[in-house]
Amino acid sequence: MAIEQVERLQRKLFLPMSQAPFLTRVVLRNYKSIGVCDVRLGPLTYLVGANGSGKSNFLDALHLVRDALTNTLDNALNERGGLTEVRRRSHGHPTHLDRKSTRLNSS
């Protein structure tokens, strides 16, 4: 790899905070304990809630997306025990995940 290519790659990987992509919104449906979730994110966002309210599952959904983007979706799901382990299993609610189940908006 040429030095110029390495320097370009470094600039892409280490952008200043003002230039780095920033998630502005996360929408989840039927992910683990989360039926529906629509969260707008700011530069500093706190997740606050009672025990068992889904804070860790919200973060795991973000980690799932990261893992799927850096590796494969199959691998990311397998690390979590497979699709059946991440689908919501609440009585009376759908248990399927589809392309619309997770959405991320960035600026």
Side-chain angles (χ1 to χ4, degrees), residues 15-22 107:
L15 293 173
M17 286 297 288
S18 62
Q19 295 177 3
F22 180 77
S107 61

Side-chain angles (χ1 to χ4, degrees), residues 18-42:
S18 62
Q19 295 177 3
F22 180 77
L23 289 179
T24 57
R25 185 177 180 197
V26 177
V27 179
L28 302 172
R29 273 189 288 230
N30 300 321
Y31 186 82
K32 293 190 174 184
S33 65
I34 301 170
V36 176
C37 174
D38 186 347
V39 177
R40 296 193 185 277
L41 303 172

Side-chain angles (χ1 to χ4, degrees), residues 2-17:
I3 293 175
E4 297 84 26
Q5 290 174 312
V6 171
E7 289 174 348
R8 266 184 282 164
L9 181 60
Q10 286 177 334
R11 282 192 298 273
K12 286 182 182 178
L13 292 174
F14 302 104
L15 293 173
M17 286 297 288

Side-chain angles (χ1 to χ4, degrees), residues 26-104:
V26 177
V27 179
L28 302 172
R29 273 189 288 230
N30 300 321
Y31 186 82
K32 293 190 174 184
S33 65
I34 301 170
V36 176
C37 174
D38 186 347
V39 177
R40 296 193 185 277
L41 303 172
L44 177 63
T45 302
Y46 293 95
L47 294 178
V48 179
N51 290 344
S53 62
K55 300 177 299 290
S56 294
N57 289 338
F58 179 85
L59 293 175
D60 186 61
L62 296 178
H63 291 153
L64 174 88
V65 172
R66 177 204 58 201
D67 295 346
L69 290 172
T70 57
N71 201 329
T72 66
L73 178 58
D74 284 339
N75 185 268
L77 288 170
N78 288 336
E79 286 179 2
R80 289 158 179 82
L83 182 60
T84 57
E85 293 300 314
V86 299
R87 289 187 305 181
R88 187 166 186 230
R89 292 183 289 243
S90 175
H91 178 70
H93 293 89
T95 58
H96 67 281
L97 289 174
D98 57 28
R99 288 182 297 161
K100 297 179 183 177
S101 294
T102 304
R103 185 172 79 204
L104 304 172

